[in-house]
């Protein structure tokens, strides 16, 4: 059974990789989490080519959820899925959202449920 | 109007102003605007100059190809925004072999719609929309008065420059500058400045 794929987009290659690492651990070996971090030249920034490659890598047939840190990452994420019906963007905090999405994806839940889990993470308080 | 000439002129202006744009961005943004945009427009100009784009293609197609290069190579928030603007403008022009004055008005309007849809900014938020929206309105006004392509482009460029200057007293509500609250007041918005620059290139090449 394929699970919803998750793409973590950040201006920083290290940040995207780190968030993906944490989210994968929460996905208990079942969630597919692909990082797309850094700009076209590998420095800080966002690359639509990297985002599109990550979407393809995360796509196992059950749809793909995108999470982004801020600014240009968000715009690039939304632009990358403009013409795709099987990929959606989650308006969620990057770390909490990715962890929530990976946890839910690992249960085999559908794209809408995984998106809702990621977005609900915005209201998880730490105090 | 030659879309290729516009993009190549815009790339030259962006390159010559890259340091200034980056300096303006360092005041309230993350200090990369000029060089990001330079990379994007250089890639667009190279695509047009090289084999990637047929320079004899309809202007709309050239703008779509330029938009794709800009999205791909810019790296900052300005990449998706300017890329969308050019792609939408190109789509509005379609396969028309020449750009009419009305066609330019439609293309600029489509560019503005694309930018506001993607970025969610309104006029007064201290963004590129503060240059682009008055430019579209000025072009449409010029058209309503029977203006030709050159008049419309010049009106757009002048309104964009004035719109950019008018961002100085505004408080930013989008982008990194919005984190600064009232401290963003008193600085010109670099995105509005680059929009004015790109429309200046349009006015210089529209005839």
């Amino acid at each position: 059974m394929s699970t919803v794929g998750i793409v973590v987009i950040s201006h920083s290659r290290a940040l995207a990789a780190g968030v993906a690492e944490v989210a994968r651990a929460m996905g208990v070996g079942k969630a597919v989490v692909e990082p797309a971090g850094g700009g076209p030249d590998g420095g800080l920034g966002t690359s639509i080519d990297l985002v599109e490659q990550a979407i393809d890598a995360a796509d196992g047939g059950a749809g793909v959820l995108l999470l982004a840190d801020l600014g240009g990452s968000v715009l690039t994420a939304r632009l990358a899925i403009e013409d795709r019906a099987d990929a959606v963007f989650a308006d969620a905090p990057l770390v909490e959202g990715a962890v929530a999405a990976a946890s839910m994806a690992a249960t085999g839940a559908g794209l809408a449920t995984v998106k809702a889990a990621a977005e609900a993470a915005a209201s998880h308080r730490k105090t | 109007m030659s879309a290729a000439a516009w993009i190549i002129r815009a790339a030259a202006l962006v390159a010559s102003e890259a340091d200034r744009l980056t300096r303006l961005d360092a005041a309230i943004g993350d200090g990369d605007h000029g060089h990001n945009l330079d990379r994007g427009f250089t890639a667009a100009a190279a695509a047009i100059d090289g084999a990637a784009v047929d320079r004899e293609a309809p202007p709309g197609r050239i703008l779509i190809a330029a938009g794709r290069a800009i999205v791909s190579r810019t790296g900052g928030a300005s990449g998706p925004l300017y890329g969308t603007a050019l792609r939408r403008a190109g789509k509005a022009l379609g396969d028309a072999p020449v750009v009419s004055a009305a066609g330019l008005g439609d293309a600029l309007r489509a560019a503005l719609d694309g930018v506001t849809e993607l970025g969610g900014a309104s006029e007064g938020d201290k963004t590129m929309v503060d240059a682009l929206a008055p430019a579209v309105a000025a072009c449409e006004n010029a058209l309503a008065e029977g203006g030709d392509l050159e008049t419309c482009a010049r009106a757009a460029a002048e309104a964009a420059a004035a719109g950019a200057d008018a961002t100085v007293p505004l408080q930013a509500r989008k982008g990194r500058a919005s984190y600064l609250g009232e401290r963003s007041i008193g600085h010109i918005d670099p995105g509005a400045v680059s929009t004015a620059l790109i429309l200046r290139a349009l006015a210089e090449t529209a005839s």
Side-chain angles (χ1 to χ4, degrees):
Chain A
M1 181 194 66
S2 75
T3 56
V4 169
I6 297 158
V7 172
V8 177
I9 304 157
S10 168
H11 284 70
S12 154
R13 188 175 170 158
L15 181 54
V19 171
E21 181 189 7
V22 173
R24 269 188 207 120
M26 299 297 178
V28 293
K30 292 179 187 161
V32 176
V33 187
E34 292 292 332
D41 294 332
L44 289 182
T46 328
S47 156
I48 197 162
D49 299 331
L50 281 181
V51 171
E52 285 171 349
Q53 285 165 24
I55 293 172
D56 290 338
D59 186 7
V64 179
L65 187 72
L66 280 69
L67 294 105
D69 55 4
L70 44 96
S73 296
V74 175
L75 301 184
T76 302
R78 289 174 41 205
L79 200 58
I81 58 172
E82 223 175 34
D83 299 322
R84 294 184 71 128
D86 57 344
V88 295
F89 178 73
D91 181 8
L94 192 68
V95 180
E96 292 88 338
V99 164
S103 304
M104 185 59 86
T107 70
L111 186 56
T113 307
V114 174
K115 176 174 184 271
E119 292 183 341
S123 58
H124 288 187
R125 302 295 308 267
K126 292 175 187 174
T127 56
Chain B
M1 181 192 110
S2 159
W6 174 24
I7 298 303
I8 288 166
R9 179 69 187 140
L13 284 181
V14 166
S16 71
E17 295 288 318
D19 286 341
R20 185 170 74 96
L21 290 171
T22 288
R23 244 188 346 266
L24 295 176
D25 192 35
I28 52 172
D30 54 357
D32 61 7
H33 186 58
H35 296 108
N36 278 346
L37 210 55
D38 183 21
R39 193 166 52 209
F41 270 85
T42 298
I48 290 169
D49 262 343
V53 180
D54 176 8
R55 277 188 78 152
E56 302 307 314
R61 300 232 167 212
I62 288 179
L63 293 186
I64 290 171
R68 194 174 303 125
I70 286 167
V71 167
S72 234
R73 294 296 305 161
T74 303
S78 49
L81 291 167
Y82 280 117
T84 295
L86 289 176
R87 276 171 23 174
R88 292 287 185 93
K91 280 184 188 170
L93 293 175
D95 281 336
V98 290
V99 182
S100 65
L104 179 61
D106 291 345
L108 291 178
R109 169 64 62 184
L112 173 63
D113 289 348
V115 167
T116 54
E117 252 173 61
L118 183 65
S122 309
E123 271 185 89
D125 285 349
K126 200 176 180 104
T127 72
M128 64 187 285
V129 172
D130 291 318
L132 189 52
V136 173
C139 173
E140 288 174 349
N141 283 342
L143 288 173
E145 289 167 9
D148 60 9
L149 183 87
E150 219 172 320
T151 314
C152 167
R154 205 168 45 237
E158 283 166 8
D165 288 341
T167 63
V168 172
L170 299 176
Q171 179 172 333
R173 286 196 289 257
K174 286 278 169 192
R176 193 248 187 206
S178 65
Y179 300 142
L180 305 183
E182 287 179 0
R183 290 182 184 219
S184 64
I185 294 171
H187 300 276
I188 197 164
D189 178 65
V193 173
S194 59
T195 294
L197 204 58
I198 291 159
L199 289 173
R200 195 176 107 201
L202 173 70
E204 288 175 2
T205 52
S207 58

